Amino acid sequence: KRVRVAAYARVSTEQDEQQNSYEAQVSFYTQHILSNPDWEFAGVYADEGISGTSRKRRNGFNKMMEDALAGKIDLILTKSISRFSRNTVDTLVATRELKEHGVEVRFEKEHISSFDAKAEMMFTVFCSMAQEESRSISENVRWGKQKSMQDGKVHVPYSKFLGYKKGKDGNLEIVPEEAAIVREIYDLFLNGKTINNIADILTKRGARTPGGKDKWSVSTIRSILSNEKYKGDACLQKTFVVDFLTKKAKKNEGERKQYYVHNHHPAIIEPEVFDLAQEELKKRSRNQRKLSNNSPFTTKIICADCGGFFGHKIQRQKQVWYCNHRYKDKNHTCETPIIPEDSLKAYFTEALGKVLARVAATEGAHGLDPEAEAKRTGELENARQAAKKALETALEEFRQEFCGSRRWADSEEFQKRHTQVMEKI
């Protein structure tokens, strides 16, 4: 019976010189196995541009292990222990598991076989050296990135960053069609749309996410709304890698230095608009719930006890509204009533009718008695139509001034004009 032989090849970066090494390894082992009449070719498993410190993303390695344990491979050839793995524990676990299933691993550079009596001791020595080499490389890379951040150099993952691309001079350059989506997200958010609602709007329209996907998530929208790069600044080292073996990243909460670069690149969102969005994010996060904007009453009804928003619920097959904190905690003292939606609509209609009646009577804040209101049906209808037209005009004014590409000279002017238009609406 011929021995079923496979090979494993890995290179850790995608640079040209490593590309050649990767292709050379695959070609060499293919010819090497096929040239031996006692061997049966079982394939070459390879990982390109993947670190050897963890098995997590090494699809080629994991597929090889799966096939070997399934009885499809008798012998595995690899260039060296460091190509097989730079993690001492991973190497020992993998070779022991393969050995238990009768699969041998040969490391050509070190002239070691996993079937040798002293193999494990040799693995420990060589893997420890490879692991320490990875640690040293990781420290050097971290130092280089730290120095780069101190110098104010900004590195951006362009393939997953909506609105910008790498320009010819190496700096960030605005992509107009993507920037329009970013501006729309801010406009929708500041005009009362919830993050869930914005995600649904963009998904239904077929707009692509920063990662090129069809479905927008809440986390993606929130990330865009809170990313200071859209106002032309850059905060560096928001996260850092905790362990060079696991590559696990952690949010920087003061463990490492952070650096902030002002006016680093062209802004898509005006700083004043960005700051307003941050205030709105804080205001909404205080209510600690996901808001839906499918109703005009969303975020409009405030609990008198705790200050939280009322939410829409289905209770005994009826649509009702009550404080979102009402049943959140057994010890919660919130005692505001449950309001049927039909009653809520009636309250709203009644209040709106009184307001419009006062407008029709031109009597300011003084209300009319029921008999006087009955006599003014015609004036009331005219007032409604006038109010509707005035509202449409005010909304169009808002869209022209704040939903376009206009740039504001200073924040005071922006805030003043924004307040005027909102009061008019």
Side-chain angles (χ1 to χ4, degrees), residues 301-319:
I301 311 170
I302 312 296
C303 175
D305 287 341
C306 69
F309 287 136
F310 269 48
H312 176 262
K313 311 288 189 301
I314 304 295
Q315 191 177 76
R316 296 173 186 170
Q317 298 183 335
K318 291 184 178 180
Q319 299 189 61

Side-chain angles (χ1 to χ4, degrees), residues 146-267:
Q146 193 81 15
K147 183 67 171 62
S148 178
M149 286 185 283
Q150 288 176 4
D151 295 338
K153 295 179 181 177
V154 179
H155 299 279
V156 177
Y158 290 100
S159 61
K160 294 184 178 181
F161 190 41
L162 192 72
Y164 290 99
K165 67 178 181 180
K166 190 173 183 178
K168 294 180 180 179
D169 57 356
N171 296 321
L172 280 80
E173 183 179 308
I174 293 176
V175 181
E177 57 272 19
E178 293 182 4
I181 297 175
V182 174
R183 293 191 185 100
E184 182 183 11
I185 289 171
Y186 277 80
D187 290 340
L188 290 170
F189 183 69
L190 290 174
N191 279 300
K193 295 292 184 184
T194 65
I195 294 177
N196 274 301
N197 204 213
I198 296 170
D200 290 341
I201 290 171
L202 295 176
T203 299
K204 288 176 183 177
R205 190 201 301 163
R208 290 300 182 114
T209 69
K213 296 180 180 179
D214 297 324
K215 184 174 176 58
W216 287 75
S217 66
V218 169
S219 60
T220 301
I221 301 295
R222 189 180 295 278
S223 174
I224 290 173
L225 285 170
S226 58
N227 194 331
E228 77 292 336
K229 291 186 179 67
Y230 289 115
K231 69 169 181 175
D233 296 348
C235 181
L236 310 180
Q237 196 152 257
K238 295 178 184 177
T239 62
F240 64 95
V241 176
V242 180
D243 185 358
F244 78 98
L245 287 176
T246 63
K247 300 293 190 294
K248 184 178 179 181
K250 179 187 180 300
K251 183 180 178 181
N252 188 357
E253 296 175 315
E255 297 91 338
R256 303 280 173 85
K257 286 184 178 180
Q258 282 190 328
Y259 305 88
Y260 198 92
V261 186
H262 292 277
N263 302 318
H264 174 266
H265 53 271

Side-chain angles (χ1 to χ4, degrees), residues 314-330:
I314 304 295
Q315 191 177 76
R316 296 173 186 170
Q317 298 183 335
K318 291 184 178 180
Q319 299 189 61
V320 299
W321 289 74
Y322 59 78
C323 178
N324 289 304
H325 295 163
R326 185 182 182 90
Y327 300 112
K328 195 172 184 180
D329 185 354
K330 292 181 180 179

